[in-house]
Amino acid sequence: MFTGIIEELGEITDVALSGDGVRLTVRAPIAVSDASHGDSIAVSGVCLTVVEQAADGFTADVMKQTLDMSTLAGAAPGRRVNIERATATGGRLGGHIVQGHIDGTGEVLEVRPGAQWLVLRIGLPAHLAPLVVDKGSIAVDGVSLTVSSASAADADAPWFEVSLIPETLTATTLGERAAGDRVNLETDILARHVQRLLAFAPTAGAGPEGGSR
């Protein structure tokens, strides 16, 4: 489990094919300072497991499903990534509950400057739109953010906006994003649970066993 508070900017140093997946090596000295084999580290929001480590980085296997769901599919040496270690028991929950399980990717539609911040408008798949609410939480490339605006429920092309303060712009890769870039999205776990529960709700007029009342 993570909180979406980025600890350091890492860098992908090697990408090697491994079956239908890849083996990713990431330079992240803070993350490996107390890491062990099998630990979880979030790389731009994707939860990965340490299989090898060195003094300044670690290696992890990325399966095909993860590649299909995230921007790690286009990973290449030199790419900067957001790094967060798993939350320690008893630590402060500075962001929100983030699992590192990416729901899909979104596209940066607009980067709009404010007085001391940037506003990113991000398009997202229609099936994720109901899970994003104004003033709710969302993780973008692993960064815990508050939704500052969201498109109407009947929008043909749904979007949401987040406002990035100077600290977020300098401490994460989001300050480098431009229109057309893809980003990893993880919606709020509570919203996903509510959606799933509603899918099992009995239809109107049906009794406990599915019969009419």
Side-chain angles (χ1 to χ4, degrees):
M1 183 184 297
F2 307 91
T3 68
I5 305 300
I6 303 306
E7 297 185 285
E8 67 176 319
L9 285 171
E11 180 182 340
I12 294 174
T13 59
D14 187 63
V15 181
L17 292 177
S18 178
D20 60 358
V22 298
R23 177 160 281 204
L24 206 66
T25 301
V26 182
R27 182 182 181 278
I30 293 176
V32 298
S33 63
D34 62 352
S36 301
H37 182 88
D39 281 357
S40 295
I41 297 177
V43 177
S44 288
V46 181
C47 178
L48 300 178
T49 300
V50 175
V51 295
E52 294 177 4
Q53 66 184 98
D56 65 347
F58 67 96
T59 297
D61 291 316
V62 187
M63 68 179 69
K64 182 180 184 301
Q65 182 183 19
T66 302
L67 295 175
D68 290 342
M69 293 287 291
S70 74
T71 59
L72 292 184
R79 179 194 287 188
R80 298 213 301 172
V81 288
N82 297 321
I83 300 294
E84 181 189 356
R85 290 171 291 185
T87 303
T89 302
R92 290 185 175 88
L93 185 62
H96 70 284
I97 296 173
V98 177
Q99 294 182 300
H101 303 161
I102 302 302
D103 293 309
T105 62
E107 180 182 351
V108 178
L109 303 176
E110 180 184 1
V111 180
R112 191 167 68 249
Q116 291 182 313
W117 59 86
L118 284 181
V119 176
L120 297 188
R121 176 171 289 195
I122 299 172
L124 75 165
H127 71 280
L128 297 182
L131 304 175
V132 179
V133 61
D134 188 22
K135 304 303 183 290
S137 297
I138 191 166
V140 178
D141 277 350
V143 183
S144 174
L145 298 170
T146 299
V147 176
S148 55
S149 185
S151 58
D154 59 353
D156 292 332
W159 53 264
F160 68 93
E161 292 183 346
V162 289
S163 299
L164 309 180
I165 62 173
E167 174 64 18
T168 304
L169 294 173
T170 58
T172 77
T173 59
L174 295 183
E176 305 167 2
R177 298 283 70 84
D181 286 351
R182 306 295 298 182
V183 290
N184 294 322
L185 302 178
E186 181 183 336
T187 57
D188 184 26
I189 181 61
L190 296 179
R192 299 202 301 273
H193 276 298
V194 170
Q195 184 184 61
R196 182 64 171 169
L197 287 169
L198 289 175
F200 284 95
T203 57
E209 304 301 327
S212 60
R213 295 179 181 175

